[in-house]
Amino acid sequence: MNTTETIQNIDASALFRSAYENRYTWDANFPGFTAVAHSVQNDLVYQADVHVASDLKITITNANSSEAEAAIRNQISEIVIHRVRRRFEDVHGKNVFTCGDRDASGVVTVLVDGAAAGDQYKVHNNIVSMVHRHIHGTVVTINVLSTLDTGKGYLPVNYESFYSHPETGEPSSPTQQHHDEYALFGEHYILTLRRVMTGDSCHEAQTQEFQLTEISLLEHNPSNS
């Protein structure tokens, strides 16, 4: 097989779009949910009640401190934003995609020009397995190591992330190892546990844990769909 010829024959935009649209997101029937959030960071234990409405508006109550409210809101916001369904054209309509390398296992590098010039992705088996994006003067790289197939798209389960300098490519932060767990509530998957380990050795590593318990779906209101 001629790898160069094969790459030239791949429609990079179609390849990336298919993987983008294969991500698991909440649909119009998502009713919202309530839960109790627990977060452990640097030996500090945060707790609060969480309410996520069907329109994904977040309400945090009964936090055990103002720091807990802020920390838990940030973590819930990060979870929710990745479950929002946004049209490919709205997110990437001003980008131009071309194929870079393809390795022996079939992973294709997708290069970005246009509005997000310099960004890169890797696609394998209809999954975005690597994200390399320029954000606010730095570069974040996320490598997806394993996923959960929900039947309605995939969810990253194990992945690593780090920041680097946009000019030199040198890492500007320790690598973080992430582990997410999900459970099915009704017809929708909701994150129940996120564990993040920062550091390169067992002695240096610090672990943060975020957990949602007592998860209960709200009653679906068709008028909000």
Side-chain angles (χ1 to χ4, degrees):
M1 178 184 297
N2 187 318
T3 303
T4 302
E5 181 180 353
T6 302
I7 287 293
Q8 290 175 345
N9 291 337
I10 292 177
D11 184 334
S13 180
L15 180 76
F16 179 64
R17 177 175 186 149
S18 178
Y20 172 88
E21 294 179 343
N22 188 38
R23 298 171 308 120
Y24 176 80
T25 55
W26 290 326
D27 59 25
N29 293 320
F30 179 68
F33 68 93
T34 60
V36 178
H38 311 264
S39 180
V40 180
Q41 302 182 24
N42 301 323
D43 298 324
L44 296 175
V45 179
Y46 299 146
Q47 181 173 318
D49 294 335
V50 173
H51 181 285
V52 178
S54 60
D55 63 0
L56 305 185
K57 180 180 179 181
I58 298 167
T59 304
I60 308 296
T61 57
N62 299 324
N64 61 350
S65 68
S66 58
E67 292 82 5
E69 180 177 355
I72 288 174
R73 181 180 296 279
N74 287 340
Q75 292 179 51
I76 292 293
S77 296
E78 183 177 345
I79 291 166
V80 167
I81 198 170
H82 286 96
R83 301 285 74 81
V84 175
R85 180 168 297 184
R86 300 177 64 195
R87 295 192 324 134
F88 183 81
E89 291 81 359
D90 295 338
V91 179
H92 294 289
K94 296 181 180 180
N95 293 331
V96 177
F97 301 96
T98 56
C99 285
D101 296 332
R102 181 178 186 177
D103 69 17
S105 65
V107 178
V108 177
T109 300
V110 177
L111 309 176
V112 184
D113 204 346
D119 288 359
Q120 295 184 25
Y121 299 91
K122 289 185 179 181
V123 177
H124 187 226
N125 293 335
N126 209 27
I127 289 171
V128 179
S129 60
M130 188 275 285
V131 174
H132 182 82
R133 294 185 58 202
H134 293 70
I135 302 176
H136 304 307
T138 189
V139 177
V140 59
T141 301
I142 302 171
N143 293 303
V144 177
L145 307 176
S146 64
T147 60
L148 168 67
D149 182 0
T150 70
K152 296 181 179 180
Y154 72 90
L155 284 163
V157 172
N158 293 298
Y159 50 102
E160 61 182 17
S161 65
F162 61 90
Y163 290 90
S164 57
H165 296 288
E167 295 182 0
T168 66
E170 290 295 318
S172 58
S173 71
T175 297
Q176 291 188 321
Q177 303 290 337
H178 305 253
H179 172 74
D180 290 352
E181 295 181 8
Y182 292 85
L184 185 62
F185 295 85
E187 298 179 352
H188 300 89
Y189 281 87
I190 297 175
L191 183 137
T192 58
L193 175 68
R194 170 166 291 166
R195 187 176 293 118
V196 182
M197 187 176 73
T198 304
D200 300 322
S201 72
C202 294
H203 296 93
E204 298 174 351
Q206 295 182 345
T207 300
Q208 298 182 2
E209 188 167 290
F210 178 78
Q211 187 174 18
L212 290 177
T213 62
E214 301 180 40
I215 296 173
S216 178
L217 294 180
L218 300 175
E219 184 176 351
H220 178 61
N221 185 353
S223 65
N224 293 333
S225 300

